[in-house]
Amino acid sequence: MKKREKASKIACVGLLASALTFNNYSIMFDAKADTVSNSSANSQVVILTKDATVDRTIEQFEDQNKDAALTDVQEKLENKEIQVDVTDSSKDTVFDEDTSIFADATEVEGNSQYQKVLKQELNDGNRVFLYGDVSAEEYKDILGLDKITVDNDSAGDLEFGSSNDEIKSNIAEDKNSKVKEDEFFKDTESKFTSHIIGYTLDDSKELQFIDISVNNFDGDGKSIPNSESMLMQEVMSTQSEILDAENEHLADEAENNKTSMIGVKKAHATNVRVKDTYNLVAKGYRLGLLVARMDTDYHLYKQNSDGNKKYDYFTLKPVTQVHSYKGIWAGSILTDIDVPSDSDHLDTWAPMGDRGGAKMSVSLGFPFNISAGMSFSESLVLDDRSSLAYDYARWQIKDSAIELNQNISGTTFNPVAGWASTGTYATVGLKVVGSFSNYITLTTKTKVTYDY
């Protein structure tokens, strides 16, 4: 593969998942007391690079005054919960267990020794991150992986980084599929570029796959290239979030240990969660300072007992939270759930209709049986732009105050949409756009595909 030049960043992050195959759904917790640790996790970061400025950048970040948006990671560095080593040597290097290795994608792509070492670290169960301008598909190519798969509890595997050709081949091989190639790729970029891609082959670890977009803007909101210091800051922030997830997992294990056994079987559940994706993250910098962040998780549910022989019913519930810092204000969240196949039909969505207030309810009746509520710190306005005719559920939520005083930082928005699907593949598009002051826009975008 030709060596890539470092390119300007784009204000878009997306994951393109290929077809999924799942077994019967089952959750069983049966933890023994002597197998659950009560200790907090600690983490080691190794940055593999020939750039001599990286070490100095890390030291400057550790020594600078606390940044309100970065206090958590700076405290972990100060308390040695996160320890960072920078090295340019890949020869005879032995990394400890549970180490995260970060490396510049461009350097690794042109260095066979780096590739060999990082591939071995993946095989040993460590996390390997590539940073720069890199897609999940390129991550696979650089490190010589056939697939990037993520364990989805006991339900099956989720695959990332599939090329368009690979996905088209999977669709073509399925004789029962009614999804056409042009429908599947409609309004979807053929290549997504992110700025930090991380993965571990150890499916017992939290956040097995991570995809982060970093967006830098000038004072007028125009896109400018990411700096090395920004990427290093994101490297350490990513490790901080991994550590938080691992500590939360330890706490959950301890709690589950108090319960003798909890079981959910597919045959008895009203609907079952068949797919989760976490850490669709987009961050906005202004002149190199972190000023905006948008996190989106999504949950896909399949209705289990609808009694309809023609259709299967699915629900997508995205959860998005926005934060802004340093005088930048979060203005709005736009969520778009699009059903692309002519044979599938949007059935219902919630919240439905324009409304406002500090609380909103989300409820879908039979056959979806999903309900939730949202509470906000202030009164917000919801603009429902959904269309049954064109099969999309679309909302924008923003402050109810006059436009000059909008700030919804900290707001979490979790709408839902339900649709009826035929054939073998259930496919839906998800796009979330966060708008901030100074013309900063963050976007996450994905295709959610389920093979059933």
Side-chain angles (χ1 to χ4, degrees):
M1 182 168 56
K2 185 183 296 184
K3 185 179 178 69
R4 292 176 292 111
E5 295 180 355
K6 291 187 177 179
S8 297
K9 57 119 209 85
I10 58 172
C12 178
V13 58
L15 304 180
L16 187 57
S18 69
L20 315 177
T21 303
F22 294 96
N23 300 317
N24 286 340
Y25 184 87
S26 176
I27 303 176
M28 302 297 285
F29 300 99
D30 190 16
K32 297 180 180 179
D34 57 0
T35 64
V36 177
S37 171
N38 291 320
S39 62
S40 296
N42 290 283
S43 60
Q44 179 75 19
V45 175
V46 174
I47 300 175
L48 189 62
T49 179
K50 296 184 181 298
D51 186 348
T53 66
V54 168
D55 205 354
R56 187 167 64 253
T57 299
I58 300 296
E59 291 177 358
Q60 289 173 344
F61 179 79
E62 292 176 334
D63 295 339
Q64 73 182 31
N65 294 330
K66 291 289 189 297
D67 183 329
L70 302 165
T71 301
D72 187 60
V73 62
Q74 288 183 307
E75 289 180 350
K76 286 188 175 71
L77 287 164
E78 183 178 338
N79 298 332
K80 304 301 182 184
E81 294 177 74
I82 298 176
Q83 300 182 48
V84 183
D85 289 330
V86 179
T87 180
D88 64 354
S89 174
S90 61
K91 295 181 179 179
D92 302 322
T93 302
V94 178
F95 298 109
D96 294 334
E97 186 178 356
D98 293 329
T99 297
S100 293
I101 302 98
F102 289 80
D104 188 309
T106 303
E107 287 188 10
V108 176
E109 191 173 29
N111 189 317
S112 60
Q113 182 63 26
Y114 278 2
Q115 293 171 1
K116 180 180 178 181
V117 168
L118 294 178
K119 182 68 175 294
Q120 185 59 51
E121 290 303 317
L122 277 174
N123 290 333
D124 290 343
N126 280 335
R127 299 178 187 274
V128 173
F129 290 82
L130 298 182
Y131 63 85
D133 290 321
V134 59
S135 66
E137 183 180 347
E138 288 171 326
Y139 183 101
K140 285 197 318 178
D141 292 339
I142 292 171
L143 296 183
L145 299 177
D146 293 330
K147 292 182 178 181
I148 296 176
T149 58
V150 175
D151 180 67
N152 192 66
D153 296 323
S154 59
D157 288 337
L158 172 63
E159 185 174 340
F160 294 97
S162 296
S163 66
N164 285 356
D165 289 340
E166 288 172 328
I167 296 175
K168 288 177 181 179
S169 176
N170 290 338
I171 294 175
E173 289 176 1
D174 183 0
K175 305 303 181 183
N176 296 319
S177 176
K178 295 184 179 180
V179 178
K180 299 177 182 178
E181 291 179 10
D182 57 346
E183 289 177 346
F184 190 89
F185 292 101
K186 182 177 66 174
D187 193 32
T188 302
E189 293 90 343
S190 60
K191 176 183 175 183
F192 294 115
T193 299
S194 299
H195 302 99
I196 297 179
I197 299 284
Y199 181 55
T200 174
L201 290 170
D202 185 350
D203 59 17
S204 69
K205 291 183 176 178
E206 298 298 297
L207 306 181
Q208 190 181 354
F209 175 80
I210 297 175
D211 184 313
I212 297 176
S213 172
V214 185
N215 312 277
N216 197 13
F217 303 88
D218 65 14
D220 297 322
K222 295 181 180 179
S223 174
I224 57 177
N226 293 326
S227 67
E228 190 76 25
S229 62
M230 286 170 50
L231 292 176
M232 289 303 99
Q233 180 173 295
E234 286 305 317
V235 163
M236 292 177 288
S237 295
T238 300
Q239 191 65 19
S240 176
E241 292 176 16
I242 289 171
L243 187 57
D244 288 340
E246 290 173 344
N247 284 332
E248 184 177 351
H249 178 69
L250 289 173
D252 288 344
E253 280 189 324
E255 183 66 26
N256 290 335
N257 182 53
K258 300 176 183 178
T259 305
S260 59
M261 179 155 314
I262 302 173
V264 180
K265 291 294 186 180
K266 182 174 182 179
H268 303 293
T270 303
N271 54 57
V272 294
R273 183 181 295 178
V274 296
K275 181 178 175 183
D276 289 309
T277 288
Y278 298 99
N279 277 20
L280 300 183
V281 183
K283 296 188 179 182
Y285 283 71
R286 182 174 181 268
L287 301 174
L289 296 176
L290 179 63
V291 295
R293 172 172 180 150
M294 184 172 71
D295 295 78
T296 299
D297 301 343
Y298 66 80
H299 311 284
L300 175 66
Y301 298 86
K302 181 177 182 296
Q303 169 59 34
N304 203 32
S305 56
D306 54 80
N308 191 314
K309 295 182 179 180
K310 181 178 179 180
Y311 291 108
D312 288 282
Y313 292 90
F314 292 86
T315 306
L316 187 71
K317 185 175 78 170
V319 182
T320 298
Q321 187 173 55
V322 291
H323 286 98
S324 57
Y325 318 97
K326 302 178 184 68
I328 297 298
W329 288 2
S332 67
I333 303 171
L334 173 69
T335 303
D336 183 3
I337 300 174
D338 190 354
V339 181
S341 177
D342 289 340
S343 60
D344 295 351
H345 304 285
L346 179 68
D347 191 293
T348 187
W349 62 91
M352 184 178 287
D354 297 344
R355 62 182 70 185
K359 293 184 178 180
M360 295 183 190
S361 62
V362 172
S363 180
L364 302 185
F366 183 85
F368 303 100
N369 299 308
I370 296 288
S371 61
M374 289 175 276
S375 296
F376 312 115
S377 59
E378 57 187 310
S379 182
L380 301 183
V381 171
L382 176 76
D383 179 11
D384 180 5
R385 307 175 183 180
S386 307
S387 172
L388 279 175
Y390 295 101
D391 291 320
Y392 61 76
R394 189 176 298 168
W395 310 262
Q396 184 179 56
I397 192 164
K398 58 184 180 180
D399 200 316
S400 62
I402 61 174
E403 191 162 342
L404 291 177
N405 290 320
Q406 289 184 346
N407 191 7
I408 63 170
S409 180
T411 294
T412 300
F413 183 47
N414 55 304
V416 295
W419 78 99
S421 178
T422 61
T424 304
Y425 284 81
T427 305
V428 66
L430 171 65
K431 180 170 72 173
V432 184
V433 180
S435 298
F436 301 80
S437 58
N438 282 72
Y439 310 103
I440 294 173
T441 300
L442 303 181
T443 302
T444 59
K445 196 171 185 180
T446 186
K447 281 281 188 179
V448 184
T449 305
Y450 178 58
D451 176 11
Y452 59 98

